[in-house]
Structure formats: C-alpha cells, structure tokens
Amino acid sequence: QVQLVESGAGLVQPGGSLRLSCAASGRTFSNYAMGWFRQVPGKERESVAAINWNGSTYHVASVKGRCTISRDNAKNTVYLQMNSLKPEDTAVYYCAARPNSVTTRGRDYDYWGQGAQVTVSS
C-alpha cells in the first residue's frame, strides 16, 4: 500500500513562492510516476505537473516557467516548486502516484494524498 502526505502549503502573496512536498511510502517509489493536481470548488480536478521514473516531466501550460516538479527517490519525496504565484493558482493541491507512465487524467492514478490548501492573496 502506498501512502502520500502533502506538506508546505499555505498562504502567500501574489508574486511569492512556495515549495510543496509529498512524502511517499513504499519500496517501489522510484518506479512510480508522480503527479500534482489541483481543484477549486465547482470545477474538475486538473493536472498541474507530473514526473516519470526516468525524470521526464510535464507541466500544464498555465504554470510553465513558474512551477517545476522534481523528485528525490532516496527520500521517497516529490516536490512542486511554485514561483510568481497568482490568485488564480489558489486551490487544494493533491499529490498522486501510479505504477505506470505519467498521465494528465486523475482517474489513471491509484494513490492520492489528503490535499493541501494553497491560497494566493494580498
């Protein structure tokens, strides 16, 4: 069983930065694809970024140049560095994992964290 726990979320002013962390359990973490999703009330959960076991990455167009996904297999942790944050980035952010290649479809992921609230406001 894989368990995921997000941390690092909170309140930040527009233009500020945050680094989200997702700590994962399991011996096979290095072979899992990892992703970050976000959701606001009344909207579907959307993919923000994802990273394969081989290091290849995906970032949604709205965050390219501002957000970077990375992973540290030795620490069983995936990160999302977010810079130049905008009010529209406000959402609950979720970490997800699957024992396959990356996708942008939430339904394809097998394991999910509890979610963490990121609020961008002055």
Side-chain angles (χ1 to χ4, degrees), residues 37-41 43-46 90-94 117:
F37 291 76
R38 65 186 180 188
Q39 187 170 29
V40 299
K43 295 185 178 181
E44 295 183 347
R45 189 171 300 181
E46 66 172 347
T90 295
V92 176
Y93 284 71
Y94 297 88
Q117 178 69 50

Side-chain angles (χ1 to χ4, degrees), residues 99-122:
N100 300 284
S101 59
V102 297
T103 81
T104 59
R105 290 154 52 95
R107 71 180 73 177
D108 292 334
Y109 286 80
D110 303 295
Y111 306 101
W112 293 85
Q114 78 281 8
Q117 178 69 50
V118 172
T119 301
V120 184
S121 176
S122 60

Side-chain angles (χ1 to χ4, degrees), residues 1-4 24-34 52-53 71 73-74 76-77 97-100 111:
Q1 193 81 272
V2 175
Q3 297 181 358
L4 307 174
S25 66
R27 298 178 180 178
T28 60
F29 175 81
S30 62
N31 294 323
Y32 276 60
M34 306 292 296
N52 259 330
W53 62 268
R71 65 192 298 164
N73 291 337
N76 286 352
T77 302
R98 66 192 301 261
N100 300 284
Y111 306 101

Side-chain angles (χ1 to χ4, degrees), residues 5-115:
V5 180
E6 301 97 340
S7 63
L11 174 66
V12 63
Q13 295 184 344
S17 299
L18 284 175
R19 188 179 74 163
L20 301 181
S21 297
C22 175
S25 66
R27 298 178 180 178
T28 60
F29 175 81
S30 62
N31 294 323
Y32 276 60
M34 306 292 296
W36 286 99
F37 291 76
R38 65 186 180 188
Q39 187 170 29
V40 299
K43 295 185 178 181
E44 295 183 347
R45 189 171 300 181
E46 66 172 347
S47 175
V48 179
I51 184 167
N52 259 330
W53 62 268
N54 63 2
S56 63
T57 62
Y58 157 84
H59 298 83
V60 71
S62 62
V63 306
K64 285 184 178 179
R66 301 189 297 116
C67 298
T68 303
I69 189 171
S70 62
R71 65 192 298 164
D72 186 337
N73 291 337
K75 297 182 178 180
N76 286 352
T77 302
V78 63
Y79 306 95
L80 183 66
Q81 178 68 46
M82 302 189 291
N83 303 316
S84 301
L85 286 165
K86 305 175 181 179
E88 49 264 47
D89 293 318
T90 295
V92 176
Y93 284 71
Y94 297 88
C95 177
R98 66 192 301 261
N100 300 284
S101 59
V102 297
T103 81
T104 59
R105 290 154 52 95
R107 71 180 73 177
D108 292 334
Y109 286 80
D110 303 295
Y111 306 101
W112 293 85
Q114 78 281 8

